[in-house]
Amino acid sequence: MITVDDLRAHPLHQVHRLIEPGPVILISTRHHGTPNVMTNGFNMMVRHAPPLIAATVGPWDHSYQALVETGECVIAVPTADMAATVVDIGNCSGADVDKFAEFDLTAVDAEQVDAPLIAECHANIECRVADTSLVSSYHLFLLEPVRAWTDPSQPAPELLHHRGDGTFTVDGPVLDLQDRMTKWQYLL
């Protein structure tokens, strides 16, 4: 039998590396007419229907003020082949760099929000801020999707997952266990 003496303590400041929050996303905003995009690795689905997404965006992020003032954004889901660009986007500030121009990203007009879609991404989810009650304490925005788009030319994208230390994993084989989802058939 394993006891706690057989285990190794893990530093609390690295707990985020144990529970991967989901794919790395890009968050686009438009503030005073200027589009911007940031990389975000701290995000998660909160519920599936109606959909609700949580993302950490803090005052250290140039996009923070845009999100606070406009109450809207686009969550763009890049594929693994965009990994270097995704990291580079996260290593500079929209206060200093036009990231759409710098990284050859194509801004596409959204239907429901002013923030742009990103054409190079597999998916784009237009969102409105649904709840800010956790922003002051945790910098956590709850976002309500109002429109979603996928690129049909990318039917089986490999998504990028940050491991919290500058390394990434990429989606692997798909395990199809739909027949076992007896309680959740309506989701299939």
Side-chain angles (χ1 to χ4, degrees):
M1 183 164 131
I2 293 177
T3 69
V4 73
D5 293 330
D6 299 315
L7 302 175
R8 182 178 65 199
H10 192 83
L12 288 178
H13 72 279
Q14 294 180 2
V15 165
H16 64 282
R17 296 179 186 174
L18 300 175
I19 302 177
E20 211 292 329
V24 174
I25 61 173
L26 299 174
I27 299 177
S28 78
T29 55
R30 187 179 309 272
H31 193 231
H32 302 298
T34 303
N36 188 41
V37 60
M38 66 172 281
T39 300
N40 182 283
F42 288 98
N43 56 79
M44 67 176 181
M45 288 302 305
V46 175
R47 69 175 182 221
H48 56 274
L52 194 62
I53 301 168
T56 299
V57 179
W60 55 85
D61 296 307
H62 182 65
S63 299
Y64 176 83
Q65 199 61 39
L67 195 53
V68 167
E69 289 183 21
T70 67
E72 60 184 33
C73 66
V74 168
I75 293 175
V77 183
T79 54
D81 63 330
M82 294 179 66
T85 300
V86 168
V87 171
D88 291 347
I89 288 169
N91 283 328
C92 61
S93 173
D96 307 317
V97 175
D98 176 346
K99 294 185 188 183
F100 278 87
E102 180 73 19
F103 301 107
D104 293 321
L105 299 175
T106 308
V108 176
D109 289 340
E111 277 191 3
Q112 302 291 318
V113 301
D114 195 35
L117 310 175
I118 301 173
E120 291 75 15
C121 289
H122 160 68
N124 285 272
I125 306 165
E126 300 179 37
C127 296
R128 291 207 175 91
V129 174
D131 190 327
T132 59
S133 63
L134 298 172
V135 172
S136 62
S137 299
Y138 302 105
H139 309 112
L140 189 68
F141 287 84
L142 294 178
L143 305 169
E144 177 185 10
V146 294
R147 191 81 162 111
W149 309 92
T150 56
D151 181 349
S153 73
Q154 301 179 41
E158 292 182 325
L159 303 183
L160 187 65
H161 301 265
H162 188 230
R163 297 180 60 191
D165 62 353
T167 62
F168 297 81
T169 57
V170 176
D171 288 340
V174 174
L175 301 176
D176 185 348
L177 300 175
Q178 289 182 339
D179 61 330
R180 298 183 66 87
M181 298 275 294
T182 56
K183 183 177 179 181
W184 305 101
Q185 284 294 308
Y186 69 95
L187 294 175
L188 304 180

